[in-house]
Coordinates of all heavy atoms in Angstrom, one line a residue:
M1 N 0.5 -11.1 8.9 CA 1.3 -10.9 7.6 C 0.1 -10.8 6.5 O -0.8 -11.4 6.5 CB 2.2 -12.1 7.3 CG 2.8 -12.0 6.0 SD 4.0 -13.3 5.6 CE 2.9 -14.6 5.1
V2 N 0.4 -9.8 5.7 CA -0.5 -9.7 4.5 C 0.3 -10.2 3.2 O 1.5 -9.9 3.0 CB -0.7 -8.2 4.3 CG1 -1.5 -8.0 3.0 CG2 -1.5 -7.6 5.4
T3 N -0.4 -11.1 2.5 CA 0.2 -11.6 1.3 C -0.4 -11.0 0.1 O -1.6 -10.9 0.0 CB -0.1 -13.2 1.2 OG1 0.5 -13.8 2.3 CG2 0.6 -13.8 -0.1
V4 N 0.5 -10.4 -0.8 CA 0.0 -9.8 -1.9 C 0.5 -10.5 -3.1 O 1.7 -10.7 -3.3 CB 0.6 -8.3 -2.0 CG1 0.2 -7.5 -3.2 CG2 0.1 -7.5 -0.7
D5 N -0.4 -10.9 -4.0 CA -0.1 -11.6 -5.2 C 0.4 -10.7 -6.3 O 1.3 -11.0 -7.1 CB -1.2 -12.6 -5.7 CG -1.5 -13.7 -4.8 OD1 -0.6 -14.2 -4.2 OD2 -2.6 -14.1 -4.7
R6 N -0.3 -9.6 -6.4 CA 0.0 -8.6 -7.4 C -0.3 -7.2 -6.8 O -1.3 -7.0 -6.2 CB -0.8 -8.8 -8.7 CG -0.4 -7.9 -9.8 CD -1.0 -8.3 -11.1 NE -2.5 -8.1 -10.9 CZ -3.3 -8.2 -12.0 NH1 -2.8 -8.6 -13.1 NH2 -4.5 -8.1 -11.8
L7 N 0.6 -6.3 -7.0 CA 0.5 -4.9 -6.5 C 0.6 -4.0 -7.7 O 1.7 -4.0 -8.4 CB 1.5 -4.7 -5.5 CG 1.5 -3.2 -5.0 CD1 0.2 -2.9 -4.2 CD2 2.7 -3.0 -4.1
R8 N -0.4 -3.2 -8.0 CA -0.3 -2.2 -9.1 C -0.5 -0.8 -8.5 O -1.6 -0.6 -8.0 CB -1.3 -2.5 -10.2 CG -1.2 -1.7 -11.3 CD -2.1 -2.0 -12.4 NE -2.9 -0.9 -12.7 CZ -4.0 -1.0 -13.5 NH1 -4.4 -2.1 -13.9 NH2 -4.7 0.1 -13.8
V9 N 0.5 0.0 -8.6 CA 0.4 1.3 -8.0 C 0.7 2.3 -9.2 O 1.6 2.1 -9.9 CB 1.4 1.5 -6.9 CG1 1.3 3.0 -6.3 CG2 1.3 0.5 -5.8
R10 N -0.2 3.3 -9.3 CA 0.1 4.3 -10.3 C 0.5 5.6 -9.6 O -0.1 6.0 -8.7 CB -1.2 4.6 -11.1 CG -1.6 3.4 -12.0 CD -2.8 3.8 -12.9 NE -3.9 3.6 -12.1 CZ -5.2 4.0 -12.4 NH1 -5.3 4.6 -13.6 NH2 -6.2 3.8 -11.7
F11 N 1.6 6.2 -10.2 CA 2.2 7.3 -9.6 C 2.1 8.5 -10.7 O 2.2 8.2 -11.9 CB 3.7 7.1 -9.3 CG 3.9 6.1 -8.2 CD1 4.2 4.8 -8.5 CD2 3.8 6.5 -6.9 CE1 4.4 3.9 -7.4 CE2 4.0 5.7 -5.9 CZ 4.3 4.3 -6.2
P12 N 2.1 9.7 -10.2 CA 2.2 10.8 -11.1 C 3.6 10.8 -11.8 O 4.5 10.3 -11.2 CB 2.0 12.1 -10.3 CG 2.1 11.7 -8.9 CD 1.9 10.1 -8.8
R13 N 3.7 11.5 -13.0 CA 5.0 11.6 -13.6 C 6.1 12.2 -12.8 O 7.2 11.9 -12.9 CB 4.8 12.3 -14.9 CG 4.2 11.6 -16.0 CD 4.2 12.4 -17.2 NE 3.2 11.7 -18.1 CZ 2.7 12.3 -19.2 NH1 3.0 13.5 -19.5 NH2 1.8 11.7 -19.9
A14 N 5.7 13.0 -11.9 CA 6.7 13.8 -11.1 C 7.5 12.8 -10.2 O 8.6 13.1 -9.8 CB 6.0 14.8 -10.1
V15 N 6.9 11.7 -9.9 CA 7.6 10.7 -9.1 C 8.7 10.1 -9.8 O 9.8 9.7 -9.3 CB 6.6 9.6 -8.5 CG1 7.4 8.5 -7.8 CG2 5.7 10.2 -7.6
G16 N 8.5 9.9 -11.2 CA 9.6 9.4 -12.1 C 10.2 8.1 -11.7 O 9.5 7.1 -11.4
A17 N 11.6 8.1 -11.6 CA 12.3 6.8 -11.3 C 12.2 6.3 -9.8 O 12.5 5.2 -9.5 CB 13.8 7.1 -11.6
R18 N 11.6 7.2 -9.0 CA 11.4 6.8 -7.6 C 10.2 5.8 -7.5 O 10.1 5.1 -6.5 CB 11.0 8.0 -6.8 CG 12.2 9.0 -6.8 CD 11.7 10.3 -6.1 NE 11.1 10.0 -4.8 CZ 10.4 11.1 -4.2 NH1 10.2 12.2 -4.8 NH2 10.0 10.9 -3.1
A19 N 9.3 5.6 -8.5 CA 8.1 4.8 -8.5 C 8.4 3.4 -8.1 O 7.7 2.8 -7.2 CB 7.4 4.9 -9.7
D20 N 9.4 2.7 -8.7 CA 9.7 1.3 -8.5 C 10.1 1.1 -7.0 O 9.7 0.2 -6.3 CB 10.8 0.8 -9.4 CG 10.3 0.6 -10.8 OD1 9.1 0.5 -11.1 OD2 11.2 0.5 -11.7
R21 N 11.0 2.0 -6.5 CA 11.4 1.8 -5.2 C 10.3 2.0 -4.1 O 10.0 1.2 -3.2 CB 12.5 2.8 -4.8 CG 13.0 2.7 -3.4 CD 14.3 3.5 -3.1 NE 14.8 3.1 -1.8 CZ 14.5 3.8 -0.7 NH1 13.7 4.8 -0.7 NH2 15.0 3.5 0.5
I22 N 9.4 3.0 -4.4 CA 8.3 3.2 -3.5 C 7.3 2.0 -3.6 O 6.8 1.5 -2.5 CB 7.5 4.6 -3.9 CG1 8.4 5.7 -3.7 CG2 6.2 4.7 -3.1 CD1 8.0 7.0 -4.3
A23 N 7.0 1.5 -4.7 CA 6.2 0.3 -4.9 C 6.7 -0.9 -4.0 O 6.0 -1.6 -3.3 CB 5.9 -0.1 -6.3
W24 N 8.0 -1.1 -4.1 CA 8.7 -2.2 -3.3 C 8.6 -1.9 -1.9 O 8.3 -2.8 -1.0 CB 10.2 -2.4 -3.7 CG 10.4 -3.2 -4.9 CD1 10.8 -2.7 -6.2 CD2 10.2 -4.5 -5.1 NE1 10.8 -3.8 -7.1 CE2 10.4 -4.9 -6.4 CE3 9.7 -5.6 -4.1 CZ2 10.3 -6.2 -6.9 CZ3 9.6 -6.9 -4.6 CH2 9.9 -7.1 -6.0
L25 N 8.7 -0.7 -1.5 CA 8.6 -0.4 0.0 C 7.2 -0.6 0.5 O 7.0 -1.1 1.5 CB 9.0 1.1 0.2 CG 10.4 1.6 0.1 CD1 10.6 3.0 0.1 CD2 11.2 0.9 1.2
V26 N 6.2 -0.3 -0.3 CA 4.8 -0.6 0.0 C 4.6 -2.0 0.2 O 4.1 -2.6 1.2 CB 3.8 0.1 -1.0 CG1 2.4 -0.5 -0.8 CG2 3.9 1.5 -1.0
A27 N 5.1 -2.8 -0.7 CA 4.9 -4.3 -0.7 C 5.6 -4.8 0.5 O 5.0 -5.7 1.2 CB 5.5 -4.9 -1.9
D28 N 6.8 -4.4 0.9 CA 7.5 -4.8 2.1 C 6.8 -4.6 3.3 O 6.7 -5.4 4.2 CB 8.9 -4.2 2.1 CG 9.9 -4.9 1.2 OD1 9.6 -5.9 0.6 OD2 10.9 -4.2 1.0
R29 N 6.2 -3.3 3.4 CA 5.5 -2.9 4.6 C 4.2 -3.7 4.7 O 3.7 -4.1 5.8 CB 5.2 -1.4 4.5 CG 6.3 -0.5 4.9 CD 6.1 1.0 4.6 NE 7.1 1.8 5.2 CZ 8.4 1.9 4.7 NH1 8.8 1.2 3.7 NH2 9.2 2.8 5.3
L30 N 3.5 -4.0 3.6 CA 2.3 -4.8 3.7 C 2.6 -6.2 4.1 O 1.8 -6.7 4.9 CB 1.6 -4.8 2.3 CG 0.9 -3.4 1.9 CD1 0.4 -3.5 0.5 CD2 -0.3 -3.2 2.9
A31 N 3.7 -6.7 3.6 CA 4.0 -8.1 3.9 C 4.4 -8.2 5.4 O 4.1 -9.3 6.0 CB 5.3 -8.6 3.1
A32 N 4.8 -7.1 6.0 CA 5.2 -7.2 7.5 C 4.0 -6.8 8.4 O 4.1 -6.8 9.6 CB 6.3 -6.1 7.7
S33 N 2.8 -6.5 7.7 CA 1.7 -6.1 8.5 C 1.0 -7.2 9.2 O 0.5 -8.1 8.5 CB 0.6 -5.4 7.5 OG 1.1 -4.2 7.0
P34 N 0.9 -7.2 10.5 CA 0.3 -8.3 11.2 C -1.3 -8.1 11.1 O -1.8 -7.0 11.2 CB 0.7 -8.2 12.7 CG 1.1 -6.7 12.8 CD 1.6 -6.3 11.4
V35 N -2.0 -9.2 10.9 CA -3.5 -9.1 11.0 C -4.0 -10.3 11.8 O -3.3 -11.3 11.9 CB -4.0 -9.2 9.5 CG1 -3.8 -8.0 8.8 CG2 -3.6 -10.4 8.8
E36 N -5.1 -10.2 12.4 CA -5.7 -11.2 13.3 C -6.5 -12.2 12.6 O -6.6 -13.3 13.1 CB -6.5 -10.5 14.4 CG -5.8 -9.6 15.4 CD -6.6 -9.0 16.5 OE1 -7.9 -9.0 16.2 OE2 -6.1 -8.5 17.5
T37 N -7.1 -11.8 11.4 CA -8.0 -12.7 10.7 C -7.4 -13.0 9.3 O -6.7 -12.2 8.7 CB -9.4 -12.1 10.7 OG1 -9.3 -10.8 10.0 CG2 -10.0 -11.9 12.0
S38 N -7.9 -14.1 8.7 CA -7.6 -14.4 7.4 C -8.7 -14.0 6.5 O -9.9 -14.1 6.8 CB -7.5 -16.0 7.3 OG -7.2 -16.4 6.0
L39 N -8.4 -13.4 5.4 CA -9.3 -12.7 4.5 C -8.8 -12.8 3.1 O -7.6 -12.4 2.9 CB -9.7 -11.4 4.9 CG -10.8 -10.6 4.2 CD1 -12.1 -11.2 4.3 CD2 -10.8 -9.1 4.6
E40 N -9.5 -13.3 2.1 CA -9.0 -13.3 0.7 C -9.8 -12.1 0.0 O -11.0 -12.1 0.0 CB -9.3 -14.6 0.1 CG -8.8 -14.6 -1.4 CD -8.9 -15.9 -2.0 OE1 -9.0 -16.9 -1.3 OE2 -8.9 -16.0 -3.3
I41 N -9.1 -11.2 -0.6 CA -9.6 -10.1 -1.3 C -9.1 -10.2 -2.7 O -7.9 -10.2 -2.9 CB -9.3 -8.8 -0.7 CG1 -9.8 -8.7 0.8 CG2 -9.8 -7.6 -1.5 CD1 -9.2 -7.5 1.5
K42 N -10.1 -10.5 -3.7 CA -9.6 -10.6 -5.1 C -9.1 -9.3 -5.7 O -8.1 -9.2 -6.4 CB -10.8 -11.0 -5.9 CG -11.3 -12.5 -5.5 CD -10.2 -13.5 -6.0 CE -10.8 -14.8 -5.7 NZ -9.8 -15.9 -5.9
R43 N -9.7 -8.2 -5.3 CA -9.2 -6.9 -5.9 C -9.6 -5.9 -4.8 O -10.7 -5.8 -4.2 CB -10.0 -6.6 -7.1 CG -9.6 -5.3 -7.7 CD -10.5 -5.0 -9.0 NE -10.1 -3.6 -9.3 CZ -10.1 -3.2 -10.6 NH1 -10.4 -4.0 -11.6 NH2 -9.8 -2.0 -10.8
L44 N -8.6 -5.0 -4.6 CA -8.8 -3.9 -3.6 C -8.4 -2.6 -4.3 O -7.3 -2.5 -4.7 CB -7.9 -4.2 -2.4 CG -8.1 -3.2 -1.2 CD1 -9.4 -3.4 -0.6 CD2 -6.9 -3.4 -0.3
V45 N -9.4 -1.7 -4.3 CA -9.1 -0.4 -5.0 C -8.9 0.6 -3.8 O -9.8 0.8 -2.9 CB -10.2 0.0 -5.9 CG1 -10.0 1.4 -6.5 CG2 -10.4 -1.0 -6.9
V46 N -7.9 1.4 -3.8 CA -7.5 2.5 -2.9 C -7.6 3.8 -3.5 O -6.9 4.0 -4.6 CB -6.2 2.2 -2.2 CG1 -5.8 3.2 -1.2 CG2 -6.2 0.8 -1.6
P47 N -8.3 4.7 -3.0 CA -8.3 6.1 -3.6 C -7.0 6.7 -3.6 O -6.1 6.3 -2.8 CB -9.3 6.9 -2.7 CG -10.0 5.9 -1.9 CD -9.1 4.6 -1.8
A48 N -6.8 7.7 -4.4 CA -5.5 8.4 -4.5 C -5.0 8.9 -3.1 O -6.0 9.3 -2.3 CB -5.7 9.6 -5.5
V49 N -3.8 8.8 -2.9 CA -3.2 9.3 -1.6 C -2.5 10.6 -2.0 O -1.6 10.6 -2.8 CB -2.2 8.2 -1.1 CG1 -1.5 8.7 0.2 CG2 -3.1 7.0 -0.8
R50 N -2.8 11.6 -1.3 CA -2.1 12.9 -1.4 C -0.9 13.0 -0.5 O -1.0 12.7 0.7 CB -3.0 14.1 -1.3 CG -4.2 14.1 -2.2 CD -4.8 15.4 -2.3 NE -6.0 15.5 -3.2 CZ -5.9 15.7 -4.4 NH1 -4.7 15.9 -5.0 NH2 -6.9 15.7 -5.2
V51 N 0.2 13.4 -1.1 CA 1.4 13.5 -0.2 C 2.1 14.8 -0.6 O 2.1 15.3 -1.7 CB 2.5 12.3 -0.5 CG1 1.8 11.0 -0.1 CG2 2.8 12.3 -2.0
P52 N 2.8 15.3 0.4 CA 3.6 16.6 0.1 C 4.7 16.4 -0.9 O 5.3 15.3 -1.1 CB 4.2 16.9 1.5 CG 3.5 16.1 2.5 CD 3.0 14.9 1.8
A53 N 5.0 17.4 -1.7 CA 6.0 17.3 -2.7 C 7.3 17.0 -2.2 O 8.2 16.4 -2.9 CB 6.0 18.6 -3.6
T54 N 7.6 17.3 -1.0 CA 8.9 17.1 -0.4 C 9.0 15.8 0.3 O 10.0 15.5 1.0 CB 9.2 18.2 0.6 OG1 8.1 18.2 1.6 CG2 9.3 19.6 -0.1
A55 N 7.9 14.9 0.3 CA 7.9 13.6 1.0 C 9.0 12.7 0.5 O 9.3 12.6 -0.7 CB 6.6 13.0 0.9
S56 N 9.6 11.9 1.4 CA 10.6 11.0 1.0 C 9.9 9.7 0.5 O 8.7 9.6 0.7 CB 11.4 10.6 2.2 OG 10.7 9.9 3.2
D57 N 10.7 8.8 -0.1 CA 10.1 7.6 -0.6 C 9.5 6.8 0.5 O 8.4 6.3 0.4 CB 11.2 6.7 -1.3 CG 11.8 7.3 -2.5 OD1 11.3 8.3 -3.0 OD2 12.7 6.7 -3.1
E58 N 10.2 6.8 1.7 CA 9.6 6.1 2.9 C 8.3 6.7 3.3 O 7.4 5.9 3.6 CB 10.7 6.1 3.9 CG 12.0 5.2 3.7 CD 12.9 5.8 2.8 OE1 12.9 7.1 2.4 OE2 13.8 5.1 2.4
D59 N 8.3 8.1 3.4 CA 7.0 8.7 3.8 C 5.8 8.4 2.8 O 4.8 8.0 3.3 CB 7.2 10.2 3.8 CG 8.2 10.6 4.9 OD1 8.4 9.9 5.8 OD2 8.7 11.8 4.8
I60 N 6.1 8.4 1.5 CA 5.1 8.1 0.5 C 4.6 6.6 0.7 O 3.5 6.4 0.7 CB 5.6 8.4 -0.8 CG1 5.9 9.9 -1.1 CG2 4.6 7.8 -1.9 CD1 6.7 10.2 -2.3
A61 N 5.6 5.7 0.9 CA 5.3 4.3 1.0 C 4.4 4.1 2.3 O 3.4 3.3 2.3 CB 6.5 3.5 1.1
E62 N 4.7 4.8 3.4 CA 4.0 4.7 4.6 C 2.5 5.2 4.5 O 1.6 4.6 5.0 CB 4.7 5.4 5.7 CG 4.3 5.1 7.1 CD 4.5 3.6 7.4 OE1 5.5 3.1 7.1 OE2 3.6 3.0 8.0
L63 N 2.4 6.3 3.7 CA 1.1 6.8 3.5 C 0.2 5.8 2.6 O -1.0 5.6 2.9 CB 1.1 8.2 2.8 CG 1.6 9.3 3.8 CD1 2.0 10.5 2.9 CD2 0.6 9.6 4.8
I64 N 0.8 5.3 1.6 CA 0.1 4.3 0.7 C -0.2 3.1 1.5 O -1.4 2.6 1.4 CB 1.0 4.0 -0.6 CG1 1.1 5.2 -1.4 CG2 0.3 2.9 -1.3 CD1 2.1 5.1 -2.5
T65 N 0.8 2.6 2.3 CA 0.5 1.4 3.1 C -0.7 1.6 4.1 O -1.5 0.7 4.2 CB 1.8 1.0 3.9 OG1 2.8 0.7 2.9 CG2 1.5 -0.3 4.7
A66 N -0.7 2.7 4.7 CA -1.8 3.0 5.7 C -3.2 3.1 5.0 O -4.1 2.6 5.5 CB -1.5 4.4 6.4
A67 N -3.1 3.7 3.8 CA -4.4 3.7 3.0 C -4.9 2.3 2.6 O -6.1 2.0 2.7 CB -4.2 4.5 1.7
V68 N -3.9 1.4 2.2 CA -4.2 0.0 1.9 C -4.8 -0.7 3.1 O -5.8 -1.4 3.1 CB -3.1 -0.7 1.3 CG1 -3.4 -2.2 1.1 CG2 -2.7 -0.1 -0.1
Q69 N -4.1 -0.5 4.2 CA -4.5 -1.1 5.5 C -5.9 -0.8 5.9 O -6.7 -1.5 6.4 CB -3.5 -0.9 6.6 CG -2.2 -1.6 6.3 CD -1.1 -1.2 7.3 OE1 -1.1 0.0 7.8 NE2 -0.2 -2.1 7.6
M70 N -6.2 0.5 5.7 CA -7.5 1.0 6.1 C -8.6 0.3 5.2 O -9.7 -0.1 5.7 CB -7.7 2.5 5.9 CG -7.0 3.2 7.1 SD -7.4 5.0 7.1 CE -6.7 5.6 5.6
R71 N -8.3 0.1 3.9 CA -9.3 -0.5 3.1 C -9.4 -2.0 3.3 O -10.5 -2.6 3.3 CB -8.9 -0.4 1.6 CG -8.9 1.1 1.1 CD -10.2 1.6 1.1 NE -10.9 1.2 -0.1 CZ -12.0 1.8 -0.6 NH1 -12.5 2.9 0.1 NH2 -12.6 1.4 -1.7
I72 N -8.4 -2.7 3.7 CA -8.4 -4.1 4.1 C -9.2 -4.2 5.4 O -10.1 -5.0 5.5 CB -7.0 -4.6 4.4 CG1 -6.2 -4.7 3.0 CG2 -7.0 -6.0 5.1 CD1 -4.7 -5.1 3.2
A73 N -9.0 -3.3 6.4 CA -9.8 -3.3 7.6 C -11.3 -3.1 7.3 O -12.2 -3.7 8.0 CB -9.3 -2.2 8.5
A74 N -11.6 -2.2 6.3 CA -13.0 -2.1 6.0 C -13.6 -3.3 5.4 O -14.8 -3.5 5.4 CB -13.1 -0.9 4.9
R75 N -12.8 -4.2 4.9 CA -13.3 -5.5 4.3 C -13.4 -6.6 5.4 O -13.8 -7.6 5.1 CB -12.3 -6.0 3.2 CG -12.4 -5.1 2.0 CD -13.6 -5.5 1.1 NE -13.5 -4.8 -0.1 CZ -13.1 -5.4 -1.2 NH1 -12.7 -6.7 -1.3 NH2 -13.0 -4.7 -2.4
G76 N -12.9 -6.2 6.6 CA -13.2 -7.2 7.7 C -11.9 -7.8 8.3 O -12.0 -8.5 9.3
A77 N -10.7 -7.5 7.9 CA -9.5 -8.0 8.5 C -9.0 -6.9 9.4 O -8.9 -5.8 9.1 CB -8.4 -8.2 7.4
T78 N -8.8 -7.3 10.7 CA -8.3 -6.3 11.7 C -6.9 -6.5 11.9 O -6.4 -7.6 12.1 CB -9.1 -6.5 13.1 OG1 -9.0 -7.9 13.4 CG2 -10.6 -6.2 12.8
P79 N -6.1 -5.3 12.1 CA -4.7 -5.4 12.4 C -4.6 -6.0 13.8 O -5.3 -5.9 14.7 CB -4.3 -3.9 12.5 CG -5.4 -3.2 11.8 CD -6.7 -4.0 12.0
A80 N -3.5 -6.8 13.9 CA -3.1 -7.4 15.2 C -2.5 -6.3 16.1 O -1.9 -5.4 15.5 CB -2.1 -8.6 15.0
R81 N -2.7 -6.4 17.4 CA -2.2 -5.4 18.3 C -1.0 -5.9 19.0 O -0.8 -7.0 19.2 CB -3.2 -4.9 19.2 CG -4.5 -4.4 18.5 CD -5.2 -3.5 19.3 NE -6.5 -3.2 18.7 CZ -6.6 -2.1 17.9 NH1 -5.7 -1.3 17.8 NH2 -7.8 -1.9 17.4

């Protein structure tokens, strides 16, 4: 499980009212992410994630979650299998 104290996600204006829902979906997916090791990260910066204009909220959340998980793994926490 990944614990997130604060999540700040910036979206382009085109996302509009969908932004809040997508951010919640990302937080939910991260909370459900199994990890093998414990690691405290004070701040994690993830580069911009490019998504197709036709992507659903769930698709966007999945892409963002995957990008966050890759950055966490780069810091030393490995996903549980």
Side-chain angles (χ1 to χ4, degrees):
M1 176 175 81
V2 174
T3 301
V4 178
D5 290 329
R6 184 173 64 175
L7 176 66
R8 187 174 121 193
V9 183
R10 288 186 281 172
F11 295 99
R13 285 187 195 158
V15 173
R18 298 168 55 196
D20 286 343
R21 180 168 189 271
I22 295 167
W24 278 108
L25 289 168
V26 171
D28 285 345
R29 283 169 170 72
L30 287 172
S33 298
V35 291
E36 291 180 348
T37 58
S38 177
L39 181 69
E40 182 176 339
I41 301 172
K42 295 288 184 187
R43 181 180 173 151
L44 185 71
V45 178
V46 178
V49 175
R50 297 201 183 272
V51 298
T54 58
S56 69
D57 293 356
E58 290 79 8
D59 292 339
I60 295 169
E62 197 60 43
L63 290 168
I64 295 169
T65 301
V68 171
Q69 289 170 329
M70 284 192 298
R71 295 297 277 200
I72 291 171
R75 293 282 188 99
T78 53
R81 301 204 190 265

